[in-house]
Amino acid sequence: MSEEILKKYPELAIEGHPTVTQRLDICNKAVTQMAIEASQSCIKQWGRSTSDITHLVYVSSSEARLPGGDLYLAKGLGLRPETQRVTLYFAGCSGGVAGLRVAKDIAENNPGSRVLLATSETTIIGFKPPSADRPYDLVGVALFGDGAGAMIIGSDPVSAIERPLFELHTAIQHFLPDTEKIIDGRLTEEGISFKLARELPQIIEDHIEEFCSKLMEIVGYCEEDYNKMFWAVHPGGPAILNRLEKKLDLVPEKLSASRRALADYGNASSNTIVYVLEYMLEEKKKMKEEGREDSEWGLVLAFGPGVTFEGILARNPSV
């Protein structure tokens, strides 16, 4: 939210005023523009032509329209009309890793394909004017952020051009029965209303070991090997990171990329895992320069509505 927006839409500061139309007018345009800019930066670093993109996976919980943001993103990037598109709407904080899972499946089942994964989010869709009756809203304002992210996923990289950063080995998803009210979001006349139950960090802590073991056992790892791995965890909030670190007895540096992303960008919903992975690449480069040993295997994790756990067993190809 900004003064410029409030000057144009002063009704957004009025409690109980129906503003979903105004919010979507702002959000639909904003998420498209952010996604275009993030994708253009990603494609430039990739080094190949936009025309080589065969599929698009678009993730957002900040818009609602037909056609969806996937089409406007494809148009804005100048993608070929034959580009095959998939949209993931309202997956919340797990949307980024869910998008990676879908992009991975597409790439593996379509030889030679190159999948652009784009995420884009803005908090305006859920903004509420300050109220003494809802002091907890201030926590949400401080925690959540806007932004966009993008990645290219494919198989059989072209060695002369493409430089694989992570290998996505196995992806799984699991929802916890009877927890659908723990992360509750509803589209109302005043925008999206989110409610996060206080017990969410405890629920994640209670189930994280069993979930991770399903991926770790694939490469013969067990709970004694937690600190042998790298950890790319969506930072839903400080409490979730603190509980994971304590439960898994992780050394502090294992979650440093997640904590950096949270400090710099807040919880930007589906985007945040992109920022975490980018910070991990910086850490990998620093470790190499200092001659320190890097982890070969790691986990990419996120938690969203459901409560849904998303996880990917990933490999560091440079080890």
Side-chain angles (χ1 to χ4, degrees):
M1 185 57 66
S2 66
E3 290 186 12
E4 181 182 354
I5 292 174
L6 288 176
K7 285 182 180 179
K8 186 175 181 180
Y9 302 95
E11 59 271 29
L12 292 177
I14 302 174
E15 184 77 25
H17 197 82
T19 54
V20 67
T21 299
Q22 295 91 322
R23 292 170 188 267
L24 290 176
D25 183 52
I26 300 168
C27 293
N28 290 342
K29 297 173 183 176
V31 293
T32 296
Q33 186 58 39
M34 289 190 294
I36 289 173
E37 292 176 5
S39 298
Q40 288 173 335
S41 176
C42 175
I43 293 168
K44 183 178 180 180
Q45 294 182 54
W46 173 41
R48 292 180 60 177
S49 170
T50 301
S51 62
D52 291 333
I53 294 173
T54 59
H55 297 74
L56 170 63
V57 177
Y58 175 72
V59 183
S60 182
S61 296
S62 304
E63 64 160 274
R65 53 180 163 173
L66 291 174
D70 58 313
L71 182 70
Y72 292 102
L73 175 57
K75 179 181 177 180
L77 293 174
L79 298 184
R80 294 177 298 110
E82 295 80 13
T83 303
Q84 299 179 48
R85 312 183 317 274
V86 176
T87 301
L88 299 181
Y89 270 171
F90 297 105
C93 292
S94 60
V97 181
L100 268 176
R101 172 173 51 80
V102 172
K104 172 184 180 296
D105 288 346
I106 292 172
E108 290 177 339
N109 287 283
N110 294 271
S113 63
R114 291 296 179 268
V115 186
L116 171 62
L117 168 64
T119 64
S120 192
E121 309 283 3
T122 176
T123 56
I124 292 174
I125 192 70
F127 169 79
K128 291 183 179 180
S131 171
D133 297 329
R134 297 191 312 274
Y136 188 73
D137 284 355
L138 295 176
V139 177
V141 172
L143 177 62
F144 292 97
D146 302 343
M151 290 183 261
I152 299 289
I153 297 91
S155 59
D156 300 321
V158 179
S159 58
I161 304 175
E162 297 173 312
R163 296 174 294 104
L165 304 175
F166 294 96
E167 176 187 318
L168 307 180
H169 187 279
T170 303
I172 62 174
Q173 182 192 69
H174 179 83
F175 75 90
L176 304 176
D178 303 319
T179 62
E180 58 269 16
K181 295 297 182 181
I182 298 299
I183 305 175
D184 189 48
R186 299 170 184 272
L187 185 61
T188 71
E189 291 84 355
E190 298 176 65
I192 292 181
S193 176
F194 280 109
K195 293 182 180 179
L196 302 178
R198 293 181 181 272
E199 56 265 40
L200 177 60
Q202 183 65 56
I203 290 173
I204 293 174
E205 179 183 350
D206 291 343
H207 295 87
I208 190 62
E209 286 188 295
E210 181 181 0
F211 182 75
C212 291
S213 68
K214 295 177 182 178
L215 291 166
M216 294 173 62
E217 64 186 15
I218 294 172
V219 289
Y221 280 13
C222 62
E223 61 184 25
E224 297 178 355
D225 299 312
Y226 289 143
N227 283 301
K228 292 182 181 179
M229 309 180 74
F230 60 82
W231 293 80
V233 181
H234 169 83
I240 292 175
L241 295 179
N242 292 341
R243 284 176 178 266
L244 259 62
E245 186 175 276
K246 183 177 179 181
K247 181 72 172 181
L248 305 178
D249 197 22
L250 298 175
V251 295
E253 55 263 31
K254 291 297 178 180
L255 295 180
S256 61
S258 296
R259 294 190 187 279
R260 283 181 65 193
L262 184 63
D264 290 347
Y265 301 104
N267 179 348
S269 194
S270 65
N271 306 313
T272 321
I273 197 63
V274 182
Y275 309 151
V276 172
L277 291 171
E278 188 169 11
Y279 280 143
M280 290 193 71
L281 292 174
E282 290 182 11
E283 293 178 357
K284 283 171 57 177
K285 182 180 179 180
K286 184 177 180 181
M287 291 176 70
K288 185 176 180 180
E289 292 173 348
E290 296 175 351
R292 290 186 289 149
E293 186 177 353
D294 202 355
S295 301
E296 180 179 7
W297 294 97
L299 296 180
V300 183
L301 302 172
F303 319 100
V307 171
T308 299
F309 282 45
E310 292 277 356
I312 299 177
L313 175 67
R315 179 178 172 273
N316 178 358
S318 64
V319 176

